[in-house]
Amino acid sequence: MPPEGALLESRTLRVEHLGRVDVLDKIKALVMLPDGIHLRTEDLSRYFEVSTGVIRQVTARHRAELAENGMRVLRGSDLRRFHSDMVSLCNADKGESYPQAVTQLTLYTRRAVLNIAMLLRDSDIARCVRTYLLDAEHDLRKGYADLDRRVTDVEACLGGVGVALRELGPVLNRMSYRLDSLDRRLGATNRVVAAISNRLCEMSADIHRVDARVDDVVHQLRDLRRGRKRR
């Protein structure tokens, strides 16, 4: 893991961390303007616990980089419009007053504030922000390394599973053949049982016919006996 001072020197490294604006509030509460989006130079001075002059020096040295990350300077009609919006928001929020700049106003977004935290040398708060960023990156890389190791272990296990499946293939084929043979035998048995069932049905019909003929013979014998007694 690089030292926190590396962020002071490497713009490429700073760019990699500019999405982590959540870190700012984890180090210290960041007080925004009423719009909830911007801060002024004075607000950054209080947050980083340095003078406004220090903030202006950093801004002057890295103006292009900060402008890419949300810093802007308002003048003229843009400034008047912004003041009007802020006054309206303050009046809607418990009637608080909003201090207005005279000729120009430099505004910073959270992303620009994080950018300054990675540029500001003489601030304990800025150093804490840089250290937190790099520690979080280290933990994230360690988590990725652990995940990569676990994936490698899973892949190794899957290789063993592949070998086992190849060995299991012939066994499954033999079982399939035996099951097919058993299925054929069960089919033949079912056909025999069906034939026996049909034969039993036919025998039952024959028995009914024999019973009927026996009944006829019994009736005939009874009639014959009665005839003999009358004589």
Side-chain angles (χ1 to χ4, degrees):
M1 181 180 69
E4 56 87 16
L7 290 169
L8 296 169
E9 308 301 332
S10 173
R11 182 170 181 176
T12 300
L13 190 58
R14 291 194 293 271
V15 170
E16 292 178 1
H17 293 85
L18 281 172
R20 295 296 312 280
V21 294
D22 59 298
V23 172
L24 296 170
D25 285 306
K26 292 179 179 179
I27 302 301
K28 182 180 178 181
L30 193 62
V31 181
M32 313 294 292
L33 288 176
D35 64 354
I37 299 174
H38 298 100
L39 298 92
R40 301 164 301 166
T41 301
E42 295 82 352
D43 302 320
L44 267 65
S45 172
R46 285 191 290 271
Y47 178 80
F48 289 112
E49 299 175 3
V50 296
S51 67
T52 56
V54 170
I55 300 297
R56 291 191 178 97
Q57 288 175 4
V58 173
T59 300
R61 286 198 301 267
H62 303 278
R63 185 173 297 277
E65 180 179 344
L66 292 169
E68 290 179 3
N69 292 303
M71 186 195 77
R72 58 184 179 137
V73 179
L74 299 183
R75 299 182 180 86
S77 60
D78 292 335
L79 178 59
R80 289 191 295 273
R81 188 180 306 107
F82 182 80
H83 282 325
S84 176
D85 292 341
M86 291 302 101
V87 169
S88 298
L89 290 171
C90 287
N91 291 336
D93 186 14
K94 301 179 182 178
E96 296 180 2
S97 61
Y98 165 73
Q100 299 185 24
V102 178
T103 58
Q104 68 178 35
L105 178 64
T106 303
L107 296 175
Y108 305 84
T109 61
R110 286 178 177 270
R111 190 178 176 93
V113 175
L114 182 60
N115 199 164
I116 288 180
M118 292 186 281
L119 293 168
L120 190 57
R121 295 178 181 273
D122 302 321
S123 167
D124 290 337
I125 300 298
R127 280 193 289 272
C128 288
V129 171
R130 294 194 293 271
T131 300
Y132 192 101
L133 284 172
L134 295 175
D135 286 346
E137 179 190 25
H138 174 72
D139 292 341
L140 185 61
R141 290 183 185 276
K142 182 179 178 182
Y144 283 148
D146 291 342
L147 180 60
D148 182 67
R149 176 182 55 78
R150 293 171 65 185
V151 170
T152 301
D153 292 342
V154 171
E155 289 175 343
C157 292
L158 289 176
V161 170
V163 173
L165 289 176
R166 286 194 296 272
E167 295 175 351
L168 188 59
V171 177
L172 292 175
N173 288 334
R174 289 195 297 272
M175 290 181 64
S176 177
Y177 175 79
R178 294 179 64 184
L179 289 172
D180 288 341
S181 176
L182 181 59
D183 185 63
R184 288 192 296 272
R185 293 173 63 185
L186 287 174
T189 301
N190 287 335
R191 289 191 294 273
V192 171
V193 170
I196 292 173
S197 177
N198 291 334
R199 181 55 181 162
L200 288 173
C201 290
E202 293 173 357
M203 290 178 65
S204 177
D206 291 341
I207 290 171
H208 285 304
R209 286 193 295 272
V210 170
D211 285 343
R213 293 179 64 183
V214 169
D215 289 340
D216 290 341
V217 171
V218 170
H219 290 310
Q220 289 175 9
L221 289 173
R222 286 176 182 173
D223 293 340
L224 183 59
R225 289 175 183 175
R226 290 192 189 105
R228 287 179 179 177
K229 287 179 181 180
R230 291 174 187 158
R231 295 176 184 174

